[in-house]
């Protein structure tokens, strides 16, 4: 079963096209990351799914059905910013959310505990810091133990501790069988917690699928020698390397993931008359990968 | 519907500005009528002044049966206050973005806006009840005539007028979304702009000003006797039944626009 299916969604704000025919499906039980830079259409996409924005064309389904308010009551959603009544405290705000979701108020204390807001639960929302507001929004999404959670930039405004906790929480929720849809501009966040990813740029879906398949990162071996020109020539003869190129003071050889063998590279160079003075394995940075992905499709 | 109203109650019950404004409003209904009532008492206590007043107004306005009409007329000048309350309660949702969150959490767009309209109706009802109590109180205090429900239909007109004013406020809130702007436009239009347009259009366009949105309800609650005198002087009596129907049509239009706009807009 697909939790969410979007088909050819378009959204225009006047002359600006925020979404240009986006289609994908979120499988049940996945942690589905929607990755893209600021202004790529992530929030617009989720806003349409949550019925607060109207699509210009295209359609979407929730739980393989025509979407209704009943579906939304079974999805815990944090969209863009924490939205609460400023003059009410955390408990009063969560009571309203629980009433709208038609759930009891029994788990209010529990969700506040999960996000570490128990101490301040009777303080007015207006007195909260950005991080606390974000925590309250996560707590509100958890109300009623929904099977699906939608988090738009969930770690926004959190301190490093809060970020780590939130990522752990997402993993834990997923282990408990929940489907999580998460929008983020942080590649590293998506890589750390998501099983699936869709990459959006300027309203276009560039690619989507398993994280392992899409965010595959090649191994790169950095080498250095006294005569780098000679080193370059030699390494270009090396069969296993996908690509060999000069990079400032080093020669870099890229390999398929997990295929780089430093010993073999060293031996090969030595046997070809080069003594290495620098040898290092590094992962291609995700950012570089992301730029590659987004650049190719433009 | 009860569930939706209880959610609305949770939003309002701890909102201090709402309660302060509501109490002030109720106090001003009583207060404004008290001022006019005192003036009447002073005039009717003096022999000479009473003679003139009786010639123009007949029995004191705050005596039965004209007290319903007099109180409705005087109180109608205060309808900007419940309008203000309504604007604040709607534009707050916009500025906190809780209108989005309510929909996200599982209200339908229709439920959200219909409950606001219901709140407008409840505010109109509260206003009307306060006017009834105030009118009955001053009618009894005046004591010229015994208690009577004659002329009570002006209370019905007042309810329609209250609903119209408050719905115009709701319309402004939905159209402008920002509190300051909505309040500014609502006050400027309802209190000044429309009055000027009414005067000009009545003078130069054969009483066309009477057909302006709020004027159609204002015309239904004139001050006792004064309306008849003016009508005689200008020899142009408005068709009250027609204005009642036009006011209802306007009200239906506000409801339609407000619901339609909230259901189809990007929130």
């Amino acid at each position: 079963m697909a939790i969410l299916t979007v088909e050819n969604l378009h959204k225009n704000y006047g002359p600006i096209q925020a979404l240009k025919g986006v289609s994908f499906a979120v499988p049940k039980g996945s942690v589905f990351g929607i990755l893209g830079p600021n202004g790529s259409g992530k929030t617009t996409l989720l806003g349409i799914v949550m019925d607060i924005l109207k699509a210009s064309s295209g359609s979407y389904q929730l739980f393989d059905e025509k979407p209704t308010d009943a579906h939304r009551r079974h999805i815990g959603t944090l969209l863009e910013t924490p939205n609460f009544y400023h003059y009410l405290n955390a408990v009063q705000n969560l009571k309203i959310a629980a009433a709208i979701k038609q759930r009891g108020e029994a788990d209010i204390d529990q969700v506040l505990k999960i996000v570490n807001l128990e101490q301040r639960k009777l303080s007015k929302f207006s007195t909260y810091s950005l991080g606390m507001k974000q925590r309250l929004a996560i707590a509100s999404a958890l109300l009623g133990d929904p099977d699906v959670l939608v988090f738009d930039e969930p770690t926004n405004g959190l301190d490093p501790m809060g970020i780590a906790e939130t990522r752990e929480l997402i993993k834990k929720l997923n282990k408990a069988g929940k489907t999580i849809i998460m929008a983020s501009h942080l590649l590293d966040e998506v890589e750390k917690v998501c099983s699936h990813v869709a990459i959006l740029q300027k309203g276009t879906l560039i690619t989507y699928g398993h994280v392992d398949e899409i965010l595959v990162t090649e191994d790169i071996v950095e080498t250095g020698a006294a005569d780098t020109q000679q080193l370059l020539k030699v390494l270009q003869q090396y069969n296993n390397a996908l690509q060999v190129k000069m990079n400032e003071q080093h020669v870099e050889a890229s390999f398929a993931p997990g295929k780089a063998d430093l010993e073999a590279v060293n031996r090969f160079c030595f046997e070809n008359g080069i003594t290495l003075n620098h040898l290092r394995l590094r992962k291609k940075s995700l950012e570089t990968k992301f730029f590659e992905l987004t650049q190719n499709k433009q | 519907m009860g569930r939706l109203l209880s959610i609305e109650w949770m939003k309002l019950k701890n909102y201090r500005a709402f309660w302060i404004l509501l109490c002030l409003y109720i106090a001003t209904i009583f207060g404004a009528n008290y001022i006019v009532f005192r003036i009447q008492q002073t005039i009717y206590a003096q022999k000479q002044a009473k003679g003139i007043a009786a010639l123009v107004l007949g029995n004191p306005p705050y005596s039965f049966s004209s007290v319903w009409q007099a109180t409705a007329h005087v109180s109608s000048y205060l309808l900007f206050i419940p309008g203000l309350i309504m604007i604040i309660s709607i534009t707050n949702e916009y500025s906190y973005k809780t209108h989005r969150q309510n929909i996200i959490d599982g209200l339908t767009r229709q439920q959200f806006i219909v409950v606001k309209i219901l709140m407008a109706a409840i505010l109109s009802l509260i206003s009307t009840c306060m006017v009834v109590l105030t009118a009955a109180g001053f009618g009894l205090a005046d004591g010229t005539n015994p208690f009577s429900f004659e002329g009570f239909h002006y209370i019905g007109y007042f309810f329609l007028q209250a609903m119209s004013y408050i719905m115009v406020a709701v319309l402004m809130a939905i159209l402008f979304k920002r509190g300051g702007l909505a309040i500014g436009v609502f006050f400027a239009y309802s209190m000044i702009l429309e009055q000027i347009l009414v005067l000009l259009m009545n003078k130069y366009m054969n009483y066309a000003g009477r057909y302006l949105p709020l004027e159609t309800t204002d015309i239904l609650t004139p001050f006792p006797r004064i309306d008849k005198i003016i009508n005689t002087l200008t020899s142009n009596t408005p068709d009250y039944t027609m204005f009642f129907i036009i006011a209802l049509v306007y009200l239906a239009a506000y409801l339609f626009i407000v619901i339609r706009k909230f259901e189809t807009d990007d929130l």
Side-chain angles (χ1 to χ4, degrees), chain A residues 234-249:
Chain A
V234 166
L235 273 180
Q236 271 163 351
Q237 315 294 315
Y238 190 62
N239 282 335
N240 291 341
L242 299 172
Q243 197 192 8
V244 180
K245 58 176 186 190
M246 276 293 287
N247 177 22
E248 289 160 23
Q249 66 263 50

Side-chain angles (χ1 to χ4, degrees), chain A residues 11 51-54 69 72-73 77 80 83-88 92 95-96 99-102, chain B residues 3 10-11 14 93 96-98 100-109 263-264 266-267:
Chain A
K11 174 69 186 172
D51 195 32
I52 59 169
L53 299 176
K54 295 287 183 188
D69 50 312
R72 292 200 299 279
R73 286 196 288 275
T77 304
E80 202 169 24
N83 307 322
F84 293 100
Y85 297 92
H86 290 207
Y87 53 87
L88 297 180
Q92 289 164 335
K95 278 183 179 173
I96 292 177
I100 293 174
K101 290 169 194 248
Q102 302 183 18
Chain B
R3 184 176 72 86
M10 290 160 93
K11 296 178 189 173
N14 292 299
E93 304 260 10
Y96 302 150
K97 290 190 180 171
T98 39
R100 289 178 135 206
Q101 196 63 42
N102 285 181
I103 309 294
I104 288 170
D105 286 342
L107 286 188
T108 63
R109 287 168 174 241
E263 281 191 330
T264 54
D266 282 343
L267 299 178

